[in-house]
């Protein structure tokens, strides 16, 4: 959970942050000729490291092409999950398939790359790596494809409405991470702040919670701030409308996207 | 009492010292930007290393190392209210101790956090948006090459870039020029310092520079995947205000 531990890492790293800035402005001007390239002999002086190099010390990654063959999203994220767990893979990348050659086994040349699907797959990938989700929770056998109109976390929340609303001031870290609109940074801040002061609804925006999604799923100091009852169909409309308004980056409808190019 | 300081971080810390040991500060201003107000007493603060050191240590031990970093980042920002934000933050911090780090929604902490974050974000962005070109310097041993880059950051992030680039270019001397503030980061052999720079004193570009710029531009254009062009995303990662100093966006 990289984001949450960031502040602790920061602190360790800080040590003497101020003193490590030797470049405080000096009043003397600079002579450019002072900057001479380093001689080859100076490079050789650096001592060699004595440990055995590990295989791929930075970790390994993999890439999947999305939409070339007919696999379902469920198959894709199940595969990623096993790569993360079994192979200790660092990252799995997803790339929308862009047709280059014509072949009977490939999609036709005019197919637009499924960019939205790729985006939703990345979102599920993050859910698995940073939010403690299992692939089986994100998709099951009956719905093997991700909802293109809505992010996978919100879709999961709508399928599991019995777990909501969650009380911000009491819920565990795992529960907080599953609220749509609350990310890892916000969770870290909520956990830290509620040790010293209760969190009011007005505070959530400053903490970084996306209220247009989160307000339907939380209570704050015992009060619910959504407009109505927790009803899946109504909530779905609210969430999709909210996303369409803000998200100009992703064309929601793949047909619209196709007409842009052809 | 309005305190004026000489524009250095140490000077600012001395104002904090006086705020606690002599008279409460109504405001802290850099000397050259101060506009005298009617009936408002003011005082020029002498920068005293020992006092600054004392406040510096106190922030680290009585509040937290994170706050120390935050105050330093605040100081680097170009906001006109940065002294006020930092003063409010430190007053709250000395009252509450390290708890202040956890009060993310307190208006004082929120303002400080947002502004400090802007500075660190810009420094991070610039680690990827610095483009070097080769200058030819005449010296006693003949013509030498020097990497030169011009940037115009909103905040004074030059010293936050020093460590990153000195580590990357250990063998090549380079300078990063902050054109907005007329100073530059000089670095050679992994060591670096910041000094004023006069743009007119710069040597000429090397002859191959134009060819390399053209090649970089061609590379940038041909590497793009047409089906994935996303200008909104590009502008988010590479804000338009930096484009004028980016080789691939200019030529």
């Amino acid at each position: 959970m990289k984001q949450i531990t960031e502040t602790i890492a920061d602190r360790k790293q800080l040590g003497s942050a101020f003193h490590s800035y030797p470049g405080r402005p000096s009043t003397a001007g600079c002579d450019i000729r002072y900057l001479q390239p380093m001689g080859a002999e100076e490079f050789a002086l650096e001592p060699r490291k004595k440990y055995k190099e590990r295989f791929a010390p930075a970790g390994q990654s993999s890439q999947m092409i999305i939409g070339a063959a007919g696999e379902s999203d469920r198959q894709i994220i199940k595969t990623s999950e096993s790569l993360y767990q079994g192979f200790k893979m660092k990252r799995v990348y997803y790339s929308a398939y862009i047709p280059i050659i014509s072949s009977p086994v490939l999609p036709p040349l005019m197919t637009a790359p499924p960019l939205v699907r790729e985006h939703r797959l990345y979102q599920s990938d993050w859910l698995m790596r940073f939010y403690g989700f299992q692939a089986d929770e994100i998709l099951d056998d009956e719905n093997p494809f991700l909802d293109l109109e809505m992010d996978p976390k919100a879709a999961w929340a709508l399928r599991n409405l019995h777990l909501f609303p969650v009380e911000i001031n009491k819920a565990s870290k795992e529960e907080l991470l599953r609220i749509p609109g609350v990310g890892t940074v916000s969770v870290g801040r909520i956990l830290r702040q509620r040790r010293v002061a209760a969190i009011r609804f007005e505070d959530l925006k400053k903490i970084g919670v996306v209220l247009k999604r989160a307000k339907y799923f939380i209570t704050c100091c015992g009060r619910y701030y959504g407009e109505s009852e927790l009803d899946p169909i109504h909530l779905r409309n609210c969430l999709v409308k909210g996303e369409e308004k803000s998200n100009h980056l992703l064309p929601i409808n793949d047909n619209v996207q196709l007409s842009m190019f052809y | 009492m309005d305190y004026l300081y000489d524009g250095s971080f140490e000077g600012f810390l001395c104002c904090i010292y006086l705020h606690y040991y002599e008279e409460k500060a109504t405001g802290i201003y850099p000397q050259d930007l101060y506009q005298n107000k009617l009936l408002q007493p003011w005082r020029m603060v002498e920068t005293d290393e020992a006092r600054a050191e004392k406040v510096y240590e106190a922030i680290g031990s009585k509040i937290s190392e994170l706050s120390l970093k935050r105050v330093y980042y605040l100081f680097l920002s170009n906001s006109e209210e940065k002294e006020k934000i930092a003063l409010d933050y430190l007053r709250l911090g000395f009252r509450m101790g390290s708890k202040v780090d956890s009060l993310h929604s307190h208006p004082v902490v929120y303002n400080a956090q947002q502004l400090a974050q802007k500075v660190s974000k810009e420094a991070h962005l610039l680690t990827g948006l610095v483009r070097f070109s080769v200058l030819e310097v005449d010296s006693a041993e003949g013509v030498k090459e020097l990497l030169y880059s011009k940037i115009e950051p909103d905040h004074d992030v030059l010293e936050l870039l020093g460590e990153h680039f000195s580590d990357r270019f250990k063998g090549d001397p380079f300078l990063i020029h902050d054109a907005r503030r007329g100073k530059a980061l000089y670095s050679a052999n992994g060591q670096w310092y910041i000094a004023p720079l006069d743009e007119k004193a710069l040597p000429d570009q090397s002859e191959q520079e134009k060819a390399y710029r053209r090649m970089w531009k061609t590379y940038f254009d041909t590497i793009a995947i047409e089906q994935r062009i996303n200008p909104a995303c590009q502008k988010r990662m590479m804000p338009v205000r930096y484009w004028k100093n980016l080789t691939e966006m200019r030529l």
Side-chain angles (χ1 to χ4, degrees):
Chain A
M1 193 91 45
K2 195 173 155 240
Q3 278 89 337
I4 286 184
T5 55
E6 198 171 64
T7 48
I8 300 161
D10 272 354
R11 273 175 216 181
K12 276 189 192 150
Q13 196 191 59
L14 241 159
S16 55
F18 177 61
H19 294 292
S20 73
Y21 299 127
R24 306 212 52 72
S26 72
T27 43
C30 170
D31 186 3
I32 286 162
R33 278 169 299 179
Y34 159 80
L35 300 159
Q36 303 298 336
M38 193 190 254
E41 66 281 1
E42 278 171 82
F43 275 118
L45 286 180
E46 249 179 55
R48 285 201 146 185
K49 291 185 175 121
K50 285 258 167 74
Y51 57 83
K52 185 168 174 269
E53 285 219 346
R54 284 180 305 145
F55 174 67
Q60 294 179 78
S61 60
S62 178
Q63 185 181 23
M64 297 196 204
I65 306 296
I66 306 307
E71 65 289 279
S72 68
D73 290 344
R74 181 174 152 80
Q75 283 170 301
I76 294 171
I77 59 170
K78 285 291 266 186
T79 316
S80 315
E81 188 182 45
S82 67
L83 286 175
Y84 285 130
Q85 287 171 355
F87 282 87
K88 299 272 176 275
M89 199 71 83
K90 273 276 191 256
R91 278 289 294 272
V92 176
Y93 294 90
Y94 308 93
S95 299
Y97 172 72
I98 300 170
I100 296 170
I101 51 161
S102 162
S103 154
V105 294
L106 286 172
L109 275 180
M110 299 298 270
T111 326
L115 294 177
V116 181
R117 192 178 165 202
E118 176 196 294
H119 177 61
R120 297 293 179 219
L121 279 168
Y122 270 120
Q123 289 182 317
S124 337
D125 190 74
W126 252 252
L127 289 183
M128 292 192 289
R129 289 192 300 143
F130 301 112
Y131 292 76
F133 277 80
Q134 308 287 318
D136 286 325
E137 290 174 297
I138 300 170
L139 288 173
D140 49 34
D141 277 325
E142 286 137 44
N143 319 297
F145 284 95
L146 290 164
D147 192 337
L148 294 185
E149 288 182 328
M150 190 194 287
D151 65 278
K153 199 192 204 182
W156 173 86
L158 288 189
R159 271 182 273 120
N160 294 280
L161 273 181
H162 59 278
L163 300 172
F164 295 100
V166 167
E167 168 60 44
I168 287 283
N169 281 300
K170 296 221 175 77
S172 67
K173 184 168 133 191
E174 289 71 26
E175 285 167 336
L176 288 175
L177 278 170
R178 287 173 177 248
I179 305 169
V182 180
T184 50
V185 174
S186 317
V187 167
R189 289 179 181 167
I190 288 172
L191 292 175
R192 251 175 281 142
Q193 174 163 344
R194 70 185 189 184
R195 262 180 244 136
V196 284
I199 294 166
R200 297 163 303 161
F201 186 70
E202 307 86 84
D203 295 343
L204 288 173
K205 191 165 179 248
K206 285 187 175 167
I207 281 175
V209 171
V210 186
L211 282 179
K212 73 174 177 207
R213 252 171 285 150
K215 67 180 174 188
Y216 306 106
F217 300 98
I218 56 170
T219 59
C220 210
C221 305
R223 206 182 137 194
Y224 180 68
Y225 288 85
E227 283 125 34
S228 57
E229 296 282 296
L230 283 171
D231 165 47
I233 298 163
H234 174 68
L235 273 187
R236 198 192 143 81
N237 283 335
C238 295
L239 290 169
V240 170
K241 222 185 272 164
E243 177 149 11
E244 268 174 3
K245 247 188 240 164
S246 71
N247 207 344
H248 306 295
L249 300 189
L250 284 165
I252 293 300
N253 187 347
D254 265 356
N255 296 325
V256 175
Q257 193 183 358
L258 208 135
S259 68
M260 266 166 54
F261 290 106
Y262 301 107
Chain B
M1 178 78 78
D2 278 352
Y3 287 121
L4 313 190
Y5 71 107
D6 59 359
S8 68
F9 188 52
E10 288 82 358
F12 172 72
L13 292 180
C14 288
C15 297
I16 303 289
Y17 181 90
L18 290 183
H19 169 76
Y20 280 101
Y21 283 91
E22 287 178 21
E23 198 177 332
K24 291 256 178 297
T26 44
I28 300 177
Y29 303 91
Q31 186 183 353
D32 37 354
L33 292 179
Y34 186 62
Q35 284 175 341
N36 216 340
K37 279 170 255 164
L38 205 66
L39 301 177
Q40 178 70 32
W42 57 276
R43 172 178 164 190
M44 179 65 212
V45 177
E46 289 285 310
T47 301
D48 177 343
E49 289 283 330
R51 286 178 173 183
E53 186 75 22
K54 194 169 173 187
V55 177
Y56 182 84
E57 297 293 332
I59 298 173
S61 58
K62 297 224 170 91
I63 309 178
S64 68
E65 294 285 342
L66 183 76
S67 296
L68 186 56
K69 187 176 179 181
R70 195 171 273 169
V71 170
Y72 186 65
Y73 275 41
L74 283 179
F75 176 77
L76 293 180
S77 82
N78 73 340
S79 160
E80 280 169 15
E81 294 197 312
K82 64 182 181 185
E83 289 91 0
K84 185 184 176 305
I85 292 173
L87 178 66
D88 288 347
Y89 181 75
L90 285 176
R91 282 170 60 190
L92 186 72
F94 280 124
R95 210 164 62 226
M96 304 204 57
S98 64
K99 268 186 192 173
V100 78
D101 291 341
S102 309
L103 288 172
H104 296 283
S105 61
H106 192 291
V108 169
V109 183
Y110 177 73
N111 287 342
Q113 179 184 297
Q114 291 307 97
L115 190 54
Q117 198 171 43
K118 270 188 196 163
V119 177
S120 84
K121 270 196 181 151
E122 180 164 53
H124 174 71
L125 266 182
L126 281 174
T127 55
L129 297 179
V130 168
R131 299 284 179 271
F132 288 102
S133 39
V134 176
L135 301 185
E136 287 183 337
V137 187
D138 294 318
S139 70
E141 297 134 65
V143 178
K144 289 268 159 65
E145 286 187 343
L146 171 66
L147 295 174
Y148 167 79
S149 163
K150 183 175 163 189
I151 55 171
E152 286 167 74
D154 296 338
H155 308 289
D156 191 3
V157 294
L158 210 50
E159 45 204 287
L160 303 178
L161 299 176
E163 216 51 57
H164 175 82
F165 285 105
S166 313
D167 193 41
R168 286 187 71 134
F169 299 106
K170 281 206 178 91
D172 304 298
F174 66 86
L175 63 93
I176 300 176
H177 179 199
D178 184 343
R180 194 168 279 185
R181 292 170 188 79
K183 58 183 187 175
L185 173 87
Y186 298 88
S187 171
N189 301 343
Q191 303 277 317
W192 57 276
Y193 65 97
I194 290 173
L197 175 79
D198 183 12
E199 205 162 346
K200 286 170 202 142
L202 282 174
D204 296 333
Q205 280 174 11
S206 79
E207 295 194 352
Q208 288 170 323
E209 182 58 30
K210 266 207 177 118
Y212 274 109
R213 285 193 182 189
R214 224 172 16 248
M215 281 197 272
W216 175 242
K217 171 86 175 149
T218 316
Y219 171 76
F220 181 77
D221 291 340
T222 44
I223 201 80
I225 301 167
E226 193 189 336
Q227 288 89 339
R228 304 190 62 106
I229 286 173
N230 187 345
C233 181
Q234 184 188 36
K235 281 173 187 159
R236 207 155 24 120
M237 305 294 180
M238 199 166 89
V240 182
R241 65 181 184 279
Y242 300 125
W243 283 13
K244 61 182 164 195
N245 290 316
L246 286 178
T247 314
E248 65 266 32
M249 306 309 286
R250 267 179 69 208
L251 226 77

